[in-house]
Amino acid sequence: MSLREHALSLFRSAVGTVCPAPMLKRAVKLQGDGCPQLLVKGQTFPVKKDLYLVGFGKAVLGMAAAAEEILGDHLTQGIISVPLGIQESLQRAGMQEMLLKPHSKIQVIEGAKNNLPDAEALKGAVAIQELAEGLTADDLLLVLISGGGSALLPAPIPPILLEEKEKLTKMLASRGAVIQELNIVRKTLSVLKGGGLAQLAHPAQVVSLILSDVIGDPLDIIASGPTAASSHSVQDCLQILTKYNLLHNLPKSVETVLSSSPTTPIGPENYSHVSNIILGSNTLALEEAKRQAEGLGYAALVLSAAVHGEVGRVATLYCQLIQLVCLGLTGLGEGPLSDKLRGNLLQLAAELQIPGLDLEEFLQALRGLGPNRPVCILAGGETTVQLQGTGKGGRNQELALHVGLGLHRAQAMGASSPQGRCEILFFSGGTDGQDGPTDAAGAFCSPALVAEALQEGLDVEAFLRNNDSYTFFSQFQGGHHLLVTGLTGTNVMDIQAILIRAI
């Protein structure tokens, strides 16, 4: 098999393990008829009276379909808020297992066009709020959460209007507020976010099943944490508004809400009726890809599930790592060049501040792999792209092209480069099947492909400057280097794979 076929197989197995239906069926069971019990990953929840379901997010339709199959007649009623057009897209793609059966007890509300809160998403949020408010101590509420849930659950605290909250969010974003800051402000002004949904459902038992699309899987950040204790207070919100000089430019309704909000968040002790359980994440997907890689004969290592930063800088990290692996594979693992590469890598990793990455330990593990087996390094997370051009592409395609070009340059500079004695493939793909405004989820790239492009007179740097990686990859072998999967119905950020074997 070619390296490309291997990479594709690793990606498919990683995505498969976090696809809603198999993921839920592995983790969730319903036992007994008299007094049934819901079993989730070894935890037991008695179903005393009625079982309700709510959900919001891009992967929630498939999660709900699997949940309804597992719960059967025990499910009393459900409401889910999902992206506009998703049912039609999945129908067209022939993904019946992601769709609810006819006569389902679950009501589907589609909204959040272009991933922005709108009137339809508000309608879904209000219906979910009303259901939660009507629950009793004997009821169990199953909550399904995935990425994109924040935009699908907008419920501003009255008298704030949705438009006013949106306008404030846009003003913050235009002044440079980062996503964490935007989420803190959104949560403070929301009825359901920041643990609001869990509080409204009290005294019912709340069990949240979560598919994480956020680095580090922080419960209070995924979909703005509707069932998790918020670690932020109204003071944090006021600090952010002050920082961006917006405190004296607020709508009256926002002033009213902020002045009457409690100054401290609800303590974790008030969440004893809630269990938040992560069912799927980038880490789980990478573990599955690692198992597959080992089955294919690779010595496989996971670098990190939290890779982030600008694509050019992340590409530099990967290029230096690949060069180090090539030295090891060709028996040149010790010496001034490998020492220099190690030093560069440690400095880069420190600058990128990848959470939880112990690069010293990783490089030690790399040294222990020995020179005989092909090597597979896996990573995940979410990079960022500075948009400067008018081309077509996405962060995964751009990262792949950056790595390919970086490796080609390194090879061209060192005539006796050990890279020349290795076959190398770099791959990056979005687990949701999408990458920017294209039909691709990502791309495969190698220094050989870049060499071929340069021989054909293509200016690879110009493609990168114009953010036009999709057009670049489309020109070779009928787009063979693009990863096109269609919608997957799940989302745990991106997956990268480096495959190297000695020639």
Side-chain angles (χ1 to χ4, degrees):
M1 277 170 89
S2 69
L3 292 188
R4 182 189 178 278
E5 285 168 321
H6 282 175
L8 189 55
S9 141
L10 299 183
F11 181 74
R12 287 194 169 136
S13 64
V15 170
T17 205
V18 289
C19 265
M23 184 182 71
L24 251 88
K25 285 171 185 169
R26 270 196 313 272
V28 183
K29 305 265 183 292
L30 194 69
Q31 281 189 342
D33 276 337
C35 179
Q37 292 184 318
L38 189 67
L39 257 69
V40 186
K41 277 189 154 183
Q43 295 183 57
T44 309
F45 306 98
V47 181
K48 295 174 201 159
K49 188 169 168 259
D50 291 333
L51 204 163
Y52 294 90
L53 179 151
V54 297
F56 27 89
K58 292 178 181 177
V60 155
L61 188 61
M63 290 170 82
E68 187 164 30
E69 208 174 301
I70 294 162
L71 303 174
D73 293 338
H74 290 287
L75 180 64
T76 306
Q77 182 201 352
I79 302 168
I80 58 172
S81 177
V82 296
L84 187 68
I86 193 162
Q87 292 177 101
E88 194 191 330
S89 298
L90 292 170
Q91 188 96 49
R92 264 206 317 270
M95 296 168 81
Q96 295 304 123
E97 73 283 3
M98 299 268 188
L99 296 165
L100 295 169
K101 303 276 184 284
H103 317 299
S104 165
K105 289 179 184 170
I106 300 170
Q107 179 192 356
V108 181
I109 299 169
E110 293 192 356
K113 189 179 179 184
N114 301 326
N115 206 23
L116 294 168
D118 56 16
E120 285 307 301
L122 182 59
K123 191 173 114 183
V126 168
I128 287 169
Q129 180 182 338
E130 286 171 355
L131 187 150
E133 284 171 335
L135 300 178
T136 70
D138 288 336
D139 293 324
L140 191 151
L141 179 65
L142 192 62
V143 184
L144 308 176
I145 301 175
S146 79
S150 197
L152 286 159
L153 200 71
I157 298 171
I160 302 173
L161 301 173
L162 186 60
E163 302 77 68
E164 291 175 320
K165 191 174 162 189
E166 275 311 282
K167 192 176 166 196
L168 179 58
T169 308
K170 279 184 183 147
M171 278 163 74
L172 276 165
S174 70
R175 292 182 185 201
V178 296
I179 187 68
Q180 286 84 349
E181 291 174 321
L182 295 176
N183 278 343
I184 290 167
V185 173
R186 281 188 191 128
K187 281 196 293 188
T188 311
L189 304 177
S190 171
V191 175
L192 298 174
K193 295 181 170 83
L197 176 62
Q199 292 307 313
L200 289 175
H202 186 271
Q205 170 79 58
V206 177
V207 180
S208 277
L209 308 181
I210 302 165
L211 183 64
S212 169
D213 71 331
V214 182
I215 281 175
D217 310 331
L219 293 172
D220 64 332
I221 301 290
I222 303 162
S224 298
T227 58
S230 175
S231 48
H232 303 106
S233 67
V234 71
Q235 295 312 121
D236 297 313
C237 178
L238 292 168
Q239 269 176 350
I240 292 163
L241 295 170
T242 306
K243 176 181 171 182
Y244 294 104
N245 207 13
L246 284 171
L247 203 53
H248 305 295
N249 201 3
L250 298 173
K252 262 277 164 279
S253 57
V254 175
E255 280 182 14
T256 306
V257 166
L258 288 174
S259 61
S260 58
S261 293
T263 49
T264 52
I266 297 171
E269 67 280 359
N270 289 23
Y271 287 82
S272 56
H273 64 299
V274 184
S275 295
N276 287 303
I277 301 164
I278 302 245
L279 285 195
S281 65
N282 193 273
T283 301
L284 289 166
L286 290 174
E287 281 168 10
E288 180 58 30
K290 180 174 185 277
R291 265 197 299 278
Q292 289 287 328
E294 286 167 348
L296 290 167
Y298 287 87
L301 290 173
V302 174
L303 175 71
S304 166
V307 173
H308 66 105
E310 198 272 319
V311 285
R313 296 180 61 67
V314 173
T316 305
L317 180 85
Y318 284 142
C319 285
Q320 308 222 331
L321 201 48
I322 290 165
Q323 289 173 68
L324 197 57
V325 173
C326 287
L327 285 171
L329 273 179
T330 50
L332 302 167
E334 302 305 324
L337 182 53
S338 60
D339 290 345
K340 185 185 171 195
L341 285 168
R342 275 192 195 91
N344 289 349
L345 277 166
L346 290 167
Q347 190 183 334
L348 245 179
E351 287 168 17
L352 284 167
Q353 294 185 325
I354 295 166
L357 172 62
D358 184 340
L359 193 63
E360 286 272 18
E361 193 183 305
F362 182 82
L363 294 177
Q364 202 57 47
L366 206 53
R367 268 179 169 154
L369 291 182
N372 303 323
R373 286 165 70 197
V375 173
C376 171
I377 295 173
L378 295 155
E382 209 159 77
T383 55
T384 47
V385 171
Q386 298 293 321
L387 283 177
Q388 296 159 315
T390 54
K392 260 177 99 170
R395 61 178 180 258
N396 289 291
Q397 296 163 65
E398 189 149 323
L399 177 60
L401 188 51
H402 263 293
V403 171
L405 180 61
L407 290 173
H408 176 269
R409 279 186 183 143
Q411 214 161 316
M413 277 164 65
S416 62
S417 164
Q419 253 181 247
R421 284 179 273 161
C422 289
E423 187 187 359
I424 302 164
L425 183 78
F426 177 82
F427 160 79
S428 188
T431 55
D432 59 356
Q434 296 173 304
D435 187 34
T438 72
D439 61 352
F444 308 86
C445 199
S446 64
L449 179 69
V450 171
E452 186 188 328
L454 294 169
Q455 274 170 353
E456 288 181 18
L458 293 176
D459 185 343
V460 182
E461 281 182 55
F463 281 101
L464 282 170
R465 276 197 305 275
N466 195 30
N467 300 112
D468 205 14
S469 49
Y470 179 81
T471 306
F472 173 85
F473 287 116
S474 301
Q475 306 202 20
F476 298 91
Q477 296 168 293
H480 177 73
H481 296 277
L482 288 166
L483 170 75
V484 181
T485 61
L487 264 186
T488 62
T490 190
N491 180 19
V492 293
M493 301 183 286
D494 304 333
I495 285 177
Q496 281 108 38
I498 295 166
L499 303 183
I500 306 172
R501 58 186 174 198
I503 298 169

